[in-house]
């Protein structure tokens, strides 16, 4: 995916596209029909990527394609995780309309959606909107923030477990089971587990549930010990 997009970007390196601006079309994209409580994003988001993610949520809700849209963006998000060069390629100011059209087609292939049904059309129209408005570079952020919206919509609470090394599935399952039974998670809520790796914490864990954080990392203990010694001396 990145190699193909990179060739497109290189081929157009001498042709500059118009500078980026916040387009009015993103507002009309989300307001094709009168809004209602069922199509309104469940939480407010900020930034350009948040604006586009909210517009996509509204468009998907109006066309009853929330689930398929969420699945498609999750697949695209996985591409960004595997290919760290892709964001820079999509944000290149030298992409021509032809380049963007080909990139959009490649992205659609990676969503796993086929045919011409409404599931495909929601994503296809959205990616075209990004391309036309010189905003393909915000796609990674849109994927992440749409995931936030769909999680709230489904009643999910994100459980972020930061460790010095990747945790195995058994350990994550035990943590999920223990925390789901605690007062950190409200009734009727489902946990969405995400294991982040940060070698700087040295060992132990940092557990984040919603807006609450439990820090039992080795680095935190060392910091507390250093502060105690400093205060004592």
């Amino acid at each position: 995916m990145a190699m193909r997009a990179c060739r497109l970007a290189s081929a157009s390196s001498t042709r500059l596209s118009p500078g980026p601006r916040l387009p009015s079309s993103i507002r009309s994209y989300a307001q094709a029909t009168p809004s209602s409580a069922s199509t309104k994003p469940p939480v407010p988001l900020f930034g350009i990527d948040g604006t586009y993610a909210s517009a996509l949520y509204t468009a998907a809700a109006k066309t009853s394609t929330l689930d398929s849209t969420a699945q498609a963006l999750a697949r695209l998000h996985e591409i960004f995780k595997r290919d760290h060069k892709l964001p820079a390629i999509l944000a290149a100011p030298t992409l021509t309309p032809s380049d963007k059209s080909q990139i959009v087609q490649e992205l659609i292939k990676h969503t796993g959606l086929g045919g011409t049904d409404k599931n495909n059309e929601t994503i296809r129209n959205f990616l075209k909107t990004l391309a036309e408005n010189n905003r393909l570079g915000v796609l990674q952020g849109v994927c992440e923030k749409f995931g936030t919206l769909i999680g709230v919509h489904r009643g999910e609470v994100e459980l972020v477990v930061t460790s010095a090394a990747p945790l195995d599935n058994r350990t994550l399952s035990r943590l999920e089971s223990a925390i789901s039974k605690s007062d950190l998670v409200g009734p009727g809520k489902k946990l969405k587990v995400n294991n982040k790796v940060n070698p700087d914490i040295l060992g132990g864990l940092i557990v984040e549930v919603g807006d609450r954080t439990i820090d039992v990392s080795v680095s935190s203990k060392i910091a507390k010990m250093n502060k105690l010694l400093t205060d004592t001396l």
Side-chain angles (χ1 to χ4, degrees):
M1 172 70 198
M3 291 181 65
R4 182 179 178 87
C6 187
R7 289 196 296 270
L8 291 170
S10 298
S12 57
S13 59
T14 60
R15 300 185 293 270
L16 295 179
S17 57
R21 60 187 176 84
L22 187 62
S24 60
S25 58
I26 188 60
R27 295 190 293 271
S28 61
Y29 180 79
Q31 297 173 353
T33 59
S35 60
S36 65
S38 62
T39 61
K40 182 179 179 181
V43 292
L45 296 178
F46 304 97
I48 295 175
D49 51 1
T51 299
Y52 277 97
S54 298
L56 178 58
Y57 181 95
T58 298
K62 289 175 179 177
T63 54
S64 301
T65 58
L66 272 177
D67 289 340
S68 61
T69 299
Q71 292 171 5
L73 289 190
R75 294 187 183 104
L76 290 179
H77 195 209
E78 287 301 314
I79 298 176
F80 285 107
K81 289 182 179 179
R82 296 194 301 266
D83 192 338
H84 301 297
K85 295 181 180 179
L86 187 57
I89 293 172
L90 295 182
T94 54
L95 294 175
T96 66
S98 177
D99 296 333
K100 295 172 188 176
S101 178
Q102 292 182 59
I103 288 174
V104 166
Q105 294 306 314
E106 286 293 316
L107 290 171
I108 291 174
K109 290 179 183 178
H110 285 79
T111 64
L113 298 177
T116 58
D117 59 17
K118 63 181 180 181
N119 294 339
N120 180 282
E121 285 304 304
T122 300
I123 287 293
R124 182 185 299 276
N125 291 339
F126 181 73
L127 291 175
K128 285 182 177 179
T129 299
L130 288 183
E132 291 169 359
N133 295 326
N134 300 318
R135 292 299 187 185
L136 283 172
V138 304
L139 180 56
Q140 183 177 19
V142 171
C143 291
E144 294 171 353
K145 292 191 174 181
F146 191 89
T148 298
L149 292 176
I150 204 69
V152 175
H153 168 73
R154 293 171 175 170
E156 296 174 345
V157 175
E158 186 173 24
L159 167 61
V160 180
V161 182
T162 303
S163 54
L167 299 176
D168 57 64
N169 291 334
R170 182 181 179 184
T171 300
L172 288 174
S173 295
R174 290 174 63 186
L175 280 170
E176 180 181 3
S177 177
I179 292 175
S180 63
K181 297 175 183 177
S182 71
D183 59 359
L184 295 173
V185 182
K189 300 293 184 179
K190 297 175 287 185
L191 283 176
K192 181 180 179 182
V193 184
N194 181 15
N195 181 203
K196 292 186 177 180
V197 177
N198 181 5
D200 291 341
I201 72 171
L202 304 178
L205 300 171
I206 299 176
V207 179
E208 300 171 77
V209 186
D211 58 356
R212 301 182 64 177
T213 301
I214 303 172
D215 190 345
V216 289
S217 63
V218 172
S219 62
S220 175
K221 293 179 180 179
I222 293 175
K224 291 177 182 178
M225 185 178 296
N226 287 338
K227 184 178 186 306
L228 178 63
L229 290 172
T230 300
D231 293 343
T232 301
L233 297 175

